């Protein structure tokens, strides 16, 4: 993804730039909230973020909240450095 522009580069702060057009306020795709990321990190604790543990982490979230929200899935994908499609496919 393109970095956020800063005032030093002359762009409007907090706007994603792709090199053309006006830019956007948020990156493409589902965006996780700070609360969702904090909840996922608290549930995972100091466990290793290995790909083979994805289903176990999904079970942890399911047991804690009773469902798998899109926010938690996006935060889990970010935390594990996986694609959101892979996390969603595993969850479904």
């Amino acid at each position: 993804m393109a970095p956020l522009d800063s005032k030093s580069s002359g762009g409007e702060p907090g706007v994603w730039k792709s090199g053309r057009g006006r830019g956007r306020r948020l990156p493409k795709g589902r965006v996780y909230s700070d609360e969702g990321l904090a909840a996922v990190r608290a549930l995972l604790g100091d466990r290793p973020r290995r790909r083979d543990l994805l289903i176990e982490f999904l079970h942890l979230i399911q047991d804690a909240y009773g469902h798998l929200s899109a926010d938690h899935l996006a935060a889990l994908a970010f935390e594990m450095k996986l694609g959101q499609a892979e996390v969603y496919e595993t969850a479904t």
Side-chain angles (χ1 to χ4, degrees):
M1 267 188 248
L4 285 173
D5 279 348
S6 64
K7 287 188 180 209
S8 63
S9 66
E12 187 179 343
V15 176
W16 288 89
K17 299 297 271 186
S18 64
R20 56 184 197 272
R22 292 182 12 197
R24 61 182 73 241
R25 293 272 174 218
L26 298 172
K28 288 184 177 180
R30 295 180 191 261
V31 181
Y32 57 87
S33 67
D34 292 335
E35 295 82 21
L37 184 60
V40 167
R41 285 181 174 166
L43 283 173
L44 300 186
D46 60 349
R47 294 177 177 91
R49 305 314 199 248
R50 295 190 331 248
R51 171 184 242 119
D52 62 323
L53 296 174
L54 175 59
I55 192 74
E56 300 302 325
F57 296 159
L58 289 168
H59 281 293
L60 283 174
I61 296 170
Q62 172 75 30
D63 292 343
Y65 294 98
H67 67 281
L68 296 170
S69 69
D71 187 35
H72 287 134
L73 293 178
L76 182 61
F78 174 79
E79 184 66 19
M80 294 187 69
K81 296 176 179 59
L82 297 173
Q84 290 187 17
E86 184 175 356
V87 174
Y88 179 78
E89 288 171 358
T90 304
T92 57

